[in-house]
Amino acid sequence: MSETLEQWIARESAHAAHAMLRSVSATNIVKERPGFGQTVRPVAGSVVASPVLAAYDPEPDYFFHWFRDSALVMDAVRVLYETGRLGEEALTHFADFVRFTLSLRRLDGRALLERPDWRRNVRPEFEQYVRSDDLGAVADDAVYAEARVNPDATLDISRWSRPQHDGTPLRALVVLRWLNALSARQKFPELPPGVLADAERLLRNDLTLTAAHWRARSFDIWEEELGLHYYTLRVSAAALARGAEWLQRAGEPHAGDTLRAQAHTIRGTLDDFWMSEGNYYASRRLPPGTASPKTLDIAVILGAVHSADDDETHSARDPRMHATLGRLERLFGNAYAINRDRPPGRGIAMGRYEGDAYYAGGAYYFATLGAAELCFRAAATMPAAEAGRACWLARGDGFLEAVRAYTPADGSLAEQFDQRTGQPASARELSWSYAALLSCVAARAVVVAP
């Protein structure tokens, strides 16, 4: 008898949980970067984007602690905790993550520049990949505008797209969700001493930085274009709105009102991203005179999913978000060979944007899972007996069927699967892919639970 979707979800979820946790506090793995003269030994609390020791040979080197990816993984750890699939280990991971993140504020690029001996360890052919003297601006809170750091709590010395302002609000949202989960379960006394105060300190810092930087241009979620981006603004609005509620409960109404007003302003800015002629939310606003083929981008859907708001606009309830999803389905349905001649019940395998050329330039597991999660969240906003609820559930299951069709028998999830062959591509064992599956399945359970 063939495996049902429900059976596959149960099996794949168990694998995803185990595989994702290999990236959390991966202290048993040592990463050598001889070209940069580095030996990286992760410390507790770090989260690597992939534990695979690759070096663009041909798979990319993802052995970094990305702020965005690590927040999504820690949110999935919370899901495992709240569903009873991970116990005290989850609390340890949260505590370590908070302390690791706070420790990064001690990093100082100026101190590194004062010790030029580190450049002598870089091989001549790798000099072109080493960042310039912009390290001198990386100190204190500026560390959090980096896209990533090494998992041994040292600065990334490679050339990369900076600044990045999506990790800070996303992390604030995740810490808020953790605090709410622990409060509901009355688990604060079980945290290691001082962790609650550290978590609140980190949260306040992240909210302050979000309020200070949401208007500033930064690189997009894919770290490719500098501008104002829907995703970054969307998670910023959610972080400030939820942070305002937290401050209100903490007896700080004035501070809460200030953040709430900023969240309202951001939502007004997001309204301007609507492209009436194209019937979708634009993913970016670039400087005048700059054009981009990436305006229609799955990042918009991910912004709604990662914010997890139930507001009328810019959420799974928003008809304009539904229209954006439809436009993306048509785009990838036509562009990818694997989406043609699909069997009944299988949805579209989703990519990032038109013309993507990174590795296979194909479908992404977390993009397809993000589309599924938006459908399940849309279903959850409707009464159980309403026909639309069943339609959204079926649509979400279709996306899951696409993921299922291109998941190897061993359950491993890479970053992409090829748009022509369906074979895994780019980074193997991507922690974000596993986190996306766990988050998606949790959203589905809200709809299908008895």
Side-chain angles (χ1 to χ4, degrees), residues 4 16 82 136-137 156 164 169 189 215 249 289 313 334 351 428:
T4 67
E82 289 193 300
D156 173 23
Q164 194 84 27
R215 295 178 180 84
R249 293 193 298 270
T313 60
N334 293 326
R428 288 180 290 143

Side-chain angles (χ1 to χ4, degrees), residues 330-403:
R330 291 193 292 277
L331 168 63
F332 298 118
N334 293 326
Y336 293 172
I338 57 175
N339 284 329
R340 300 171 198 145
D341 302 318
R342 302 185 315 278
R346 184 188 298 175
I348 301 293
M350 304 287 270
R352 299 192 300 176
Y353 50 77
E354 185 175 10
D356 190 356
Y358 182 68
Y359 277 82
Y364 280 67
Y365 287 103
F366 62 69
T368 311
L369 290 162
E373 183 168 345
L374 185 86
C375 294
F376 297 140
R377 289 187 176 278
T381 66
M382 299 180 176
E386 190 169 321
R389 182 182 175 105
C391 290
W392 278 112
L393 175 59
R395 193 172 176 182
D397 279 353
F399 287 120
L400 275 181
E401 288 286 10
V403 171

Side-chain angles (χ1 to χ4, degrees), residues 118-130:
W118 64 273
R119 279 190 177 271
R120 286 196 286 268
N121 295 323
V122 178
R123 292 179 178 174
E125 64 270 25
F126 276 79
E127 283 285 352
Q128 60 183 314
Y129 305 118
V130 176

